[in-house]
Amino acid sequence: MNFLSISFTHKNTDIDIREKLSFSSNEKKEEVLRLILSNQSISECMLLSTCNRVEVMAFVNDLEISQSYILKVMSITSGVALNELENRADIYYASGALHHLFLVASSLDSLVIGETQIVGQLKDALKFAIDGKYADLNLKRAVDYSFKCAAEVRNKTEISKNPVSVSSVAVSKAKEIFKSLEGITAVVVGAGKMSELACKHLLSSGAKIILVNRSKERALNLINELNADIKYEPFSNLKDVINSHQLIFSATASPKIVIDDTFIEECEFDRYFFDIAVPRDIEITESLNLKVYSVDDLQEIVKLNLAMREEQAQIAFAIVGRYTNEFFKWLQTLATTPIIKALRLNAKKIAENEIQKAIEKGYLKHSDQEEARKLIHQVFKAYLHKPTINLKNLESDDACAVDLILDIFDIKDEFEKYTSQYSDINLLAKGNTDEI
């Protein structure tokens, strides 16, 4: 069994394809995860779908079969041609899959390096998969370890200081256009996390805000949380609002276009629409005085952001590399500790049986059994010393060797028993393999 990651991001897939792959509703996520798990080669999977990436992380017993099957499921459920997905996907195996996961969690693979939303999105994706019984201990261990890695990256580097998000990049671009947003009225469509971030950055730039949302209650809750003088307009007034102001940000969770050409009226002033949603909210025809910026159009600001953080990013990449190695060493210990314990306890059980037989047959006096027990203990300890060292030094991908040992010594039950006890690294550290 091993880890597999299939990744579609802003780096390999344009927004037209990404929005088709975006599984925004829980029903769609469940459908995809259920279909993926119907393949016997796949034992666990989870799905991460954000505005800049769609990722499937899986635990599988056949990498080639699983990779091919997952891409077919994604093609069927998204309507994107299979060969298109095969040509675009970044696919990672084993340690590569974990290294990629740790990069993602640490915000080193994000459109905006150092953004802070990704950890929460990963937590939500894992919880959704576990609650639905699509993921179990293996993916939980991997994702939990990625959070430890991300925490060290945040603590040991400046990469997340003054955090940047797609929303903040969009506001920065607006400031570049208007020179200053002081006193400018911005329309924000939607009341989710992206809209909240956009509002925060607009407020800090001195802009006035009109918030448009289908749910008045949710909009008012956001206004209360921001504790700011923000005007609410119902969604039914959207057309009037966007034709009366120069600056519009849209970040709804709608799977369909929210603003199309039927909403647009001729205006004498210049207008700038920032579509920071995936799937996109806006599909309108640009003109001399109407410009639309999508997520992918903000790349130049992102590149500048990356250049400014490059030195810190190098430190962060080194941390990710170290955590990847440590995670596989931990997994290796999780596998070998139960084997070692099972071998030693079996040896102890055999020794006890032989001592009792020797006493019953008169080969050994009752008074000598403790000395005999100590001698046998030392013999087995010496005999198993080298195998114990070799087991601890197994390469992390030596799953075949582990399976072979379990079969030869018939200790699968003991192995599973001890593995369940050592699901946490702190418990594992307390494990003692020198019990006999």
Side-chain angles (χ1 to χ4, degrees):
M1 301 294 288
N2 222 322
F3 294 97
L4 167 67
S5 180
I6 299 179
S7 173
F8 297 92
T9 71
H10 59 280
K11 295 188 291 187
N12 62 16
T13 309
D14 57 39
I15 194 167
D16 292 326
I17 303 296
R18 290 208 312 275
E19 65 184 5
K20 292 178 182 176
L21 289 171
S22 175
F23 305 108
S24 53
S25 71
N26 288 343
E27 293 76 17
K28 194 70 173 177
K29 290 176 188 174
E30 287 176 350
E31 178 190 7
V32 173
L33 291 170
R34 179 177 50 78
L35 286 171
I36 289 173
L37 271 190
S38 66
N39 189 292
Q40 293 184 348
S41 295
I42 305 168
S43 63
E44 298 179 39
C45 63
M46 61 177 280
L47 177 65
L48 176 65
S49 182
T50 75
C51 61
N52 290 315
R53 67 177 63 250
V54 175
E55 311 239 0
V56 174
M57 184 85 178
F59 194 66
V60 306
N61 60 29
D62 189 304
L63 292 169
E64 189 173 343
I65 290 175
S66 301
Q67 167 191 326
S68 176
Y69 182 76
I70 290 170
L71 287 172
K72 286 178 183 176
V73 169
M74 297 185 80
S75 174
I76 291 168
T77 54
S78 68
V80 180
L82 179 58
N83 65 327
E84 180 88 33
L85 296 181
E86 290 171 339
N87 291 334
R88 290 181 179 273
D90 285 332
I91 299 173
Y92 306 93
Y93 301 133
S95 61
L98 270 299
H99 187 266
H100 176 68
L101 172 64
F102 293 176
L103 286 177
V104 170
S106 302
S107 186
L108 296 173
D109 193 59
S110 297
L111 176 66
V112 181
I113 301 296
E115 59 94 1
T116 55
Q117 288 177 269
I118 190 64
V119 168
Q121 292 165 335
L122 262 173
K123 285 181 179 177
D124 291 343
L126 177 65
K127 185 178 186 304
F128 186 86
I130 289 177
D131 288 349
K133 302 191 184 307
Y134 305 113
D136 205 342
L137 191 58
N138 295 291
L139 287 183
K140 185 179 186 306
R141 284 172 176 163
V143 177
D144 285 348
Y145 214 90
S146 79
F147 296 150
K148 292 178 61 179
C149 177
E152 181 156 340
V153 168
R154 287 195 303 273
N155 293 333
K156 296 290 179 66
T157 73
E158 301 290 317
I159 206 160
S160 291
K161 298 295 187 291
N162 301 316
V164 183
S165 65
V166 173
S167 298
S168 69
V169 169
V171 174
S172 294
K173 184 64 179 177
K175 288 168 72 173
E176 179 186 315
I177 294 168
F178 286 89
K179 308 305 179 188
S180 171
L181 296 182
E182 192 73 39
I184 297 287
T185 297
V187 177
V188 177
V189 185
K193 188 64 179 176
M194 296 290 282
S195 297
E196 178 186 346
L197 290 171
C199 287
K200 287 180 178 178
H201 290 290
L202 286 165
L203 289 168
S204 68
S205 300
K208 299 176 182 178
I209 299 174
I210 296 174
L211 185 63
V212 181
N213 197 56
R214 294 184 190 275
S215 167
K216 181 177 181 179
E217 181 183 2
R218 188 167 183 183
L220 295 179
N221 285 340
L222 176 55
I223 292 170
N224 288 333
E225 285 177 21
L226 295 172
N227 192 25
D229 184 17
I230 297 175
K231 181 182 178 182
Y232 166 72
E233 287 282 356
F235 194 80
S236 57
N237 291 352
L238 178 61
K239 184 173 181 177
D240 290 337
V241 173
I242 64 175
N243 286 299
S244 303
H245 296 89
Q246 288 185 277
L247 187 57
I248 295 95
F249 295 81
S250 190
T252 76
S254 173
K256 298 178 181 179
I257 295 297
V258 175
I259 303 172
D260 60 22
D261 282 333
T262 64
F263 282 78
I264 304 302
E265 296 175 352
E266 287 295 327
C267 295
E268 294 181 359
F269 52 84
D270 293 338
R271 278 177 293 177
Y272 302 90
F273 288 76
F274 287 87
D275 187 350
I276 51 178
V278 177
R280 287 175 291 184
D281 284 341
I282 302 172
E283 191 173 87
I284 56 179
T285 305
E286 293 186 315
S287 64
L288 290 175
N289 65 350
L290 191 155
K291 173 69 177 174
V292 179
Y293 294 93
S294 69
V295 168
D296 288 0
D297 294 322
L298 304 173
Q299 289 279 15
E300 286 307 312
I301 295 178
V302 171
K303 288 176 183 176
L304 178 61
N305 168 262
L306 177 57
M308 289 171 15
R309 297 165 184 254
E310 187 171 350
E311 183 180 346
Q312 293 296 305
Q314 292 305 314
I315 299 171
F317 276 108
I319 293 172
V320 169
R322 173 165 56 82
Y323 265 82
T324 304
N325 291 332
E326 287 179 1
F327 179 76
F328 272 95
K329 287 179 180 177
W330 176 43
L331 284 187
Q332 175 185 319
T333 313
L334 284 175
T336 58
T337 295
I339 292 176
I340 294 166
K341 290 178 74 70
L343 283 172
R344 288 175 174 266
L345 288 173
N346 271 0
K348 185 177 182 179
K349 183 171 69 175
I350 291 169
E352 282 297 323
N353 287 339
E354 293 304 315
I355 287 173
Q356 294 307 314
K357 286 181 183 178
I359 291 173
E360 290 171 5
K361 294 182 178 180
Y363 302 148
L364 183 67
K365 296 178 182 178
H366 278 283
S367 59
D368 294 332
Q369 66 176 308
E370 192 56 39
E371 292 302 316
R373 185 174 288 111
K374 289 179 181 179
L375 175 62
I376 294 173
H377 170 85
Q378 287 303 119
V379 170
F380 271 120
K381 189 173 180 180
Y383 178 72
L384 291 174
H385 176 68
K386 191 64 176 178
T388 297
I389 292 174
N390 290 338
L391 275 169
K392 289 181 178 179
N393 290 331
L394 275 177
E395 293 298 322
S396 58
D397 58 355
D398 274 346
C400 292
V402 170
D403 289 340
L404 188 60
I405 293 168
L406 296 179
D407 287 336
I408 289 174
F409 290 95
D410 192 23
I411 53 173
K412 282 188 176 181
D413 289 343
E414 289 85 350
F415 173 78
E416 290 174 0
K417 171 187 171 184
Y418 288 119
T419 299
S420 65
Q421 293 177 7
Y422 296 121
S423 59
D424 183 270
I425 193 167
N426 296 317
L427 288 177
L428 177 65
K430 296 176 184 176
N432 176 18
T433 56
D434 280 329
E435 290 193 0
I436 70 164

